Amino acid sequence: MPGRSSLWVSPLRTLLWLLLVLVSLQLAGCAVFAPPRPYTTEAEALAERGEPTRRWTNDDGTTVLEYATQPYGHTCLMVEVDQGGIVLRQWDALAAENLARVEPGMDEAQVARLLGTHRSVQTFHLSGEVVWDWNIRNDGPGIATLFNVHFIDGKVVRTSQTYVFPRDGGMFGFWGSYYRGPWVWGGRWGYPRGFYGYPYAHPFAYPWIW
């Protein structure tokens, strides 16, 4: 009888252990995807984040620290500090409401300052367009979403979004085929030609963090 009882207890303990592991993984995932805590000083941001990707100086003497995560991340943390190093505000430059601020007529410097460091650049000689793209939060189909800004002669003419799908059997390989989304100015369709993946590992091989 004691031996029979132990046979029934063991599977129960195994099940409880598996449930504990799943809960722990879920909590860890929440921590990875959680937004950063608000910083109060520049020193605090530097201690946690290190040196920023770029620093932008404003006319009023304030400075914006840019923490880009391209090509694999989908956020760009901006931290604005005053001359005394006190944080005035912080925001995600690749949030939907900030992407919507890109307007026709903006120059490349304005876009870079608004959205942060871009992922890649493509030049299309027939159309005369130079296209910058950013990896953004993927709320659509496929494995990734790109936000594209199209320039002609250094000025924004339109934006678009590209949904990226893996090649057949290539879920863990390079990005492959794509679907062109219709969210552009002037009724034109998204990326003007096939998408060329970034020449590194698949983005899901890395944690998408701030």
Side-chain angles (χ1 to χ4, degrees), residues 76-159:
C76 181
L77 178 65
M78 299 287 197
V79 181
E80 184 178 11
V81 299
D82 64 14
Q83 293 177 325
I86 302 301
V87 174
L88 302 176
R89 64 190 181 108
Q90 67 182 54
W91 67 97
D92 179 12
L94 297 182
E97 60 270 18
N98 206 56
L99 297 177
R101 295 175 60 195
V102 180
E103 298 179 350
M106 284 184 169
D107 61 30
E108 293 181 348
Q110 289 175 304
V111 174
R113 190 162 187 159
L114 179 63
L115 303 184
T117 303
H118 50 276
R119 173 187 171 276
S120 67
V121 179
Q122 291 193 59
T123 301
F124 303 95
H125 298 288
L126 292 180
S127 67
E129 290 186 338
V130 175
V131 182
W132 294 3
D133 66 52
W134 288 259
N135 186 41
I136 63 173
R137 189 177 187 86
N138 182 32
D139 292 325
I143 60 170
T145 301
L146 301 180
F147 180 78
N148 316 304
V149 178
H150 304 246
F151 299 92
I152 292 182
D153 296 328
K155 301 291 184 180
V156 176
V157 292
R158 63 190 178 103
T159 64

Side-chain angles (χ1 to χ4, degrees), residues 44-75:
E44 187 179 348
L46 293 175
E48 185 163 332
R49 295 274 173 171
E51 281 300 315
T53 311
R54 288 186 289 195
R55 291 175 178 263
W56 302 97
T57 302
N58 299 322
D59 294 336
D60 60 1
T62 60
T63 301
V64 176
L65 312 181
E66 172 194 317
Y67 289 97
T69 62
Q70 299 296 304
Y72 305 116
H74 57 70
T75 61

Side-chain angles (χ1 to χ4, degrees), residues 6-27:
S6 63
L7 291 176
W8 286 97
V9 172
S10 180
L12 179 59
R13 288 180 177 175
T14 302
L15 179 60
L16 291 174
W17 182 82
L18 288 175
L19 289 175
L20 181 61
V21 170
L22 290 174
V23 170
S24 300
L25 290 175
Q26 185 175 8
L27 291 176

Side-chain angles (χ1 to χ4, degrees), residues 33-44:
F33 288 98
R37 62 184 179 86
Y39 300 119
T40 57
T41 65
E42 178 179 357
E44 187 179 348

